[in-house]
Amino acid sequence: MKKTQKMSSYLRDNKTFVIAVLGVLTVILLLLFVTTKTNGVSTMNSEPSLAQNQYPIKDSDVQGVQSDNSRDDTSTTTTATNIGEAAESQDINQDDNQPEPVEPEPQDLSSVQVQAEAAIVWDTETGTSLYEKNVDTEMPLASITKLMTALVAAESVNNPDEQEVIITREHLEAYGTSGLVAGQTWNIQDLISFMLMSSANDAARAVAAHSSEEKADGYYAKAFIEEMNNKARELDLESTYFFNPSGLDLNETLISGGYGNARDVARLFGYILQTNQGILEPTTVSSRVFQSNEGATYSSQNTNTQLSRFSNILGSKTGYTVLAGGNLVMGFDLENPVVIVVLGSTRHGRFTDMEKLYHATIQHFNQQKTTNEIGIN
């Protein structure tokens, strides 16, 4: 009782001090509460770290999300969402502003106007260009890079039917996902074709790692990337060089995963047509089902969503990133094998550009054929 009376007396005598202390404690508690809430919100909305290979979302290299459980499931059929560029394909199919078919109006090749920063029509048989626009200007290649990845990997394999690639979790850390599963095994040729058709970045890592003496995650397979650059020198592609096997931008405003000019891309594509055309065959169709050695099936959609507008296709490869813009290379069996390249266009403009050059090239050969016939007669 005496203690209670003493406490009451103390509080009355020191009322101002007690109120001040209580006020300070209240402010401290409020600050702690607000800070905790703010940290929670910041964590939920934080941007992924570039150090973890998470890049700002791009049209062709759209980040895919897949749980660890789904990665370990090999019993179901997977539709490849095209994480080099499949999300781009879906966007084009759903976009009201997708490019309209180009009417094949009579037009001389030299008068064709394209949106692309650079373009070329290359006659692989004669080794001459039928059309040129800034053909020697060095440009970011985006997923066109995967053509060299495929070529170097294919040339490094002695017995392709017996070569198996084991998919690892390190490969799956690539930006985006195509549905590959850690622990799966793939035939190397099937994986190369799957990579080119669906522009899969995880597949590019797996291909690079398998074909490299360094069994790293593929993205940092320095020996393999060095082989890509050596191959460019061997083919005299003087403006072409690579930093990774996928073509993903290292920095969306400064550094691309690969560089080259339109002339180099045409020559590279022409070389593949002559020496390893088989790896391009799946890129001539809109979709194909691939299968891992365990029996998991993948329904892959071609990133070139406009294939139906062309005929006599020998091969195709798209590319799109923030830094590169819209890239596209296609090979056609016309009067001669012809490669058409457009670099630095827009997402939709690359297809329109390709159509214009394609129709004008057909007309060029038709006119040439008519002239020869008249000359003979």
Side-chain angles (χ1 to χ4, degrees):
M1 184 69 177
K2 289 183 179 180
K3 289 182 178 180
T4 302
Q5 290 176 343
K6 287 182 178 180
M7 180 62 72
S8 298
S9 177
Y10 177 81
L11 292 174
R12 284 195 303 271
D13 296 340
N14 299 275
K15 184 177 180 180
T16 302
F17 174 76
V18 171
I19 291 174
V21 171
L22 289 175
V24 171
L25 289 174
T26 301
V27 171
I28 292 173
L29 289 173
L30 286 172
L31 288 173
L32 288 173
F33 177 78
V34 171
T35 301
T36 301
K37 288 293 185 181
T38 303
N39 287 341
V41 172
S42 299
T43 302
M44 291 171 61
N45 295 328
S46 60
E47 291 295 326
S49 169
L50 288 177
Q52 297 174 326
N53 294 321
Q54 300 296 323
Y55 294 79
I57 292 178
K58 306 176 184 67
D59 196 32
S60 72
D61 300 306
V62 177
Q63 179 181 1
V65 178
Q66 186 177 25
S67 69
D68 288 340
N69 290 336
S70 64
R71 289 189 185 281
D72 293 331
D73 183 8
T74 60
S75 62
T76 59
T77 299
T78 301
T79 299
T81 54
N82 185 15
I83 294 309
E85 298 166 77
E88 174 194 349
S89 302
Q90 295 168 3
D91 288 345
I92 290 174
N93 290 333
Q94 298 170 3
D95 193 339
D96 293 335
N97 295 319
Q98 62 180 296
E100 294 295 329
V102 175
E103 294 297 328
E105 299 177 356
Q107 188 174 21
D108 185 79
L109 261 173
S110 61
S111 63
V112 174
Q113 299 294 317
V114 296
Q115 296 182 58
E117 293 293 327
I120 190 172
V121 177
W122 179 260
D123 185 331
T124 64
E125 186 169 296
T126 62
T128 58
S129 56
L130 307 178
Y131 174 93
E132 293 187 352
K133 178 181 178 180
N134 298 328
V135 292
D136 296 316
T137 301
E138 185 179 286
M139 305 283 290
L141 296 180
S143 286
I144 300 294
T145 295
K146 293 183 175 78
L147 289 171
M148 183 63 86
T149 301
L151 175 62
V152 171
E155 290 188 343
S156 69
V157 176
N158 294 324
N159 300 305
D161 292 337
E162 301 175 5
Q163 291 288 318
E164 292 185 346
V165 181
I166 301 176
I167 307 300
T168 70
R169 288 193 176 275
E170 287 75 19
H171 303 152
L172 303 180
E173 291 176 0
Y175 185 69
T177 175
S178 63
L180 296 180
V181 177
Q184 276 183 346
T185 57
W186 279 65
N187 172 270
I188 182 65
Q189 284 188 315
D190 289 342
L191 191 62
I192 289 172
S193 293
F194 176 76
M195 172 191 71
L196 289 178
M197 185 176 188
S198 60
S199 205
N201 298 319
D202 45 10
R205 282 197 181 193
V207 167
H210 175 79
S211 304
S212 174
E213 293 181 0
E214 303 173 69
K215 298 304 178 183
D217 63 6
Y219 189 84
Y220 301 106
K222 294 181 180 179
F224 183 82
I225 297 169
E226 184 176 351
E227 285 303 310
M228 293 171 66
N229 289 316
N230 289 340
K231 190 64 180 180
R233 302 291 79 75
E234 178 187 326
L235 298 178
D236 293 326
L237 309 181
E238 297 180 355
S239 294
T240 300
Y241 54 97
F242 306 97
F243 294 111
N244 62 44
S246 66
L248 280 170
D249 294 342
L250 278 67
N251 180 302
E252 68 172 8
T253 59
L254 294 175
I255 305 174
S256 174
Y259 288 90
N261 59 40
R263 191 191 306 277
D264 282 0
V265 173
R267 293 175 63 189
L268 171 61
F269 202 84
Y271 178 83
I272 295 174
L273 287 175
Q274 293 173 354
T275 63
N276 277 280
Q277 188 173 350
I279 62 177
L280 293 174
E281 190 275 330
T283 69
T284 66
V285 296
S286 297
S287 64
R288 174 157 295 182
V289 175
F290 292 91
Q291 190 174 66
S292 73
N293 292 348
E294 292 78 16
T297 55
Y298 290 78
S299 179
S300 180
Q301 303 300 312
N302 198 322
T303 53
N304 186 339
T305 60
Q306 311 301 316
L307 283 175
S308 61
R309 301 181 180 183
F310 307 94
S311 59
N312 303 313
I313 302 171
L314 297 174
S316 171
K317 186 69 195 83
T318 60
Y320 185 95
T321 64
V322 170
L323 190 58
N327 295 342
L328 180 61
V329 53
M330 296 184 71
F332 302 98
D333 184 12
L334 302 177
E335 291 298 318
N336 296 339
V338 171
V339 176
I340 303 178
V341 180
V342 293
L343 300 178
S345 188
T346 64
R347 185 181 66 176
H348 301 316
R350 55 184 166 168
F351 298 112
T352 303
D353 289 344
M354 181 63 66
E355 281 189 274
K356 289 180 179 180
L357 293 171
Y358 168 74
H359 290 307
T361 302
I362 292 176
Q363 180 180 315
H364 167 82
F365 282 120
N366 287 339
Q367 290 175 339
Q368 191 176 64
K369 183 176 181 181
T370 301
T371 300
N372 291 338
E373 289 175 350
I374 293 174
I376 292 174
N377 292 334

